[in-house]
Amino acid sequence: MYLQKLKQRLGVSLVLLAPALAVAGEVTLTGEGRVRYEPDSARLQFTASAEHALPQKATERVASLMSQWREGIADYRDRLEDYSDATVNLYTRTLPPTDRSKEPETRAVASQTISFSINDLTLLNPLLQEAQAIGLDYHLGPHQFFHSNETGLEQEALARAIADARARCQFVAKQLDQGCGEVVTININGGHRPVPMMMAEAKSASDSISSVGEREIEASVSATFELE
């Protein structure tokens, strides 16, 4: 009876100890990797717009602006990727009367959007200057700039994070007089791109962009290694 109770006690103890024994030869830690770079490409969008009491006059003015734009960028046209400028939008808007005794004035507004990408940022300032000279509307923000090989940069950051996790494992194992073995599990976290610091937007003919700022891609992993 005593032996049976002892076996039962030992059996329970072994069951309780089994998980501890299984994880005694493992270590879980994190690794981080960073890659800094400057964008080399941009997605740009400009809008030619005009308004007039007559819809035909508004569209004619937009057509004139577009003609000037196409002539002005003729030397760069074959270097603009995914170029599009074919759609014309026309709508009317009502202006509130300055005098209550008068009828509201209706104006026709015509607009045409130009969009394209460039993979050579030396084209940026000449294109902006042309848009400014003609009077096209645009907004230049950080989200419009990117790197042509961002996938490769993300993979490089991830490779550095994995190498960092391995290096930490080797350090921990050395302190325990052991070796860092195979990976048991690994969780990969997504990359992160902070908003870059940019130069002031080009709003007048005298403005230009000298730098789009440096960016950083971060990657992190959580990995469990065997200790040998």
Side-chain angles (χ1 to χ4, degrees):
M1 190 69 172
Y2 174 78
L3 290 175
Q4 185 177 0
K5 290 182 178 180
L6 182 59
K7 288 180 180 179
Q8 289 175 347
R9 288 180 182 177
L10 289 173
V12 171
S13 298
L14 289 174
V15 171
L16 292 175
L17 288 173
L21 291 173
V23 299
E26 298 176 356
V27 60
T28 300
L29 38 75
T30 60
E32 298 179 350
R34 295 179 177 84
V35 175
R36 291 187 176 182
Y37 69 97
E38 285 196 11
D40 62 4
S41 306
R43 301 179 185 90
L44 303 176
Q45 182 172 295
F46 304 95
T47 302
S49 59
E51 65 175 73
H52 195 275
L54 300 175
Q56 182 179 353
K57 292 294 185 180
T59 54
E60 287 176 355
R61 289 183 178 179
V62 167
S64 175
L65 293 174
M66 292 301 301
S67 178
Q68 295 176 57
W69 165 258
R70 289 168 182 150
E71 182 179 352
I73 66 163
D75 292 340
Y76 315 116
R77 178 62 183 84
D78 60 348
R79 300 167 66 184
L80 309 183
E81 300 181 357
D82 302 319
Y83 185 91
S84 174
D85 69 0
T87 304
V88 180
N89 296 309
L90 182 65
Y91 66 93
T92 59
R93 69 186 187 98
T94 303
L95 302 178
T98 56
D99 189 338
R100 292 184 178 180
S101 62
K102 295 182 179 180
E103 293 293 326
E105 182 182 358
T106 300
R107 306 281 291 182
V109 181
S111 65
Q112 194 160 347
T113 300
I114 306 157
S115 61
F116 56 87
S117 297
I118 56 175
N119 56 19
D120 180 1
L121 292 185
T122 62
L123 296 175
L124 181 60
N125 283 323
L127 292 170
L128 292 181
Q129 291 168 4
E130 189 64 35
Q132 292 159 0
I134 297 170
L136 303 184
D137 297 322
Y138 67 92
H139 172 76
L140 200 61
H143 64 283
Q144 292 172 260
F145 294 89
F146 63 98
H147 196 280
S148 56
N149 187 31
E150 284 192 1
T151 299
L153 295 174
E154 290 173 357
Q155 291 175 346
E156 183 180 346
L158 179 57
R160 293 184 181 185
I162 294 172
D164 183 47
R166 170 68 71 177
R168 293 185 182 188
C169 173
Q170 291 171 345
F171 173 79
V172 171
K174 184 177 180 180
Q175 304 309 305
L176 300 173
D177 294 327
Q178 296 188 30
C180 181
E182 298 295 325
V183 176
V184 179
T185 61
I186 185 169
N187 294 316
I188 299 172
N189 301 322
H192 176 61
R193 302 178 187 84
V195 176
M197 298 298 293
M198 292 186 61
M199 302 297 291
E201 291 183 13
K203 288 295 187 181
S204 66
S206 61
D207 292 332
S208 62
I209 303 297
S210 59
S211 173
V212 297
E214 192 175 61
R215 298 191 183 188
E216 184 178 79
I217 292 180
E218 296 180 352
S220 63
V221 299
S222 175
T224 299
F225 295 88
E226 291 182 348
L227 293 178
E228 301 174 339

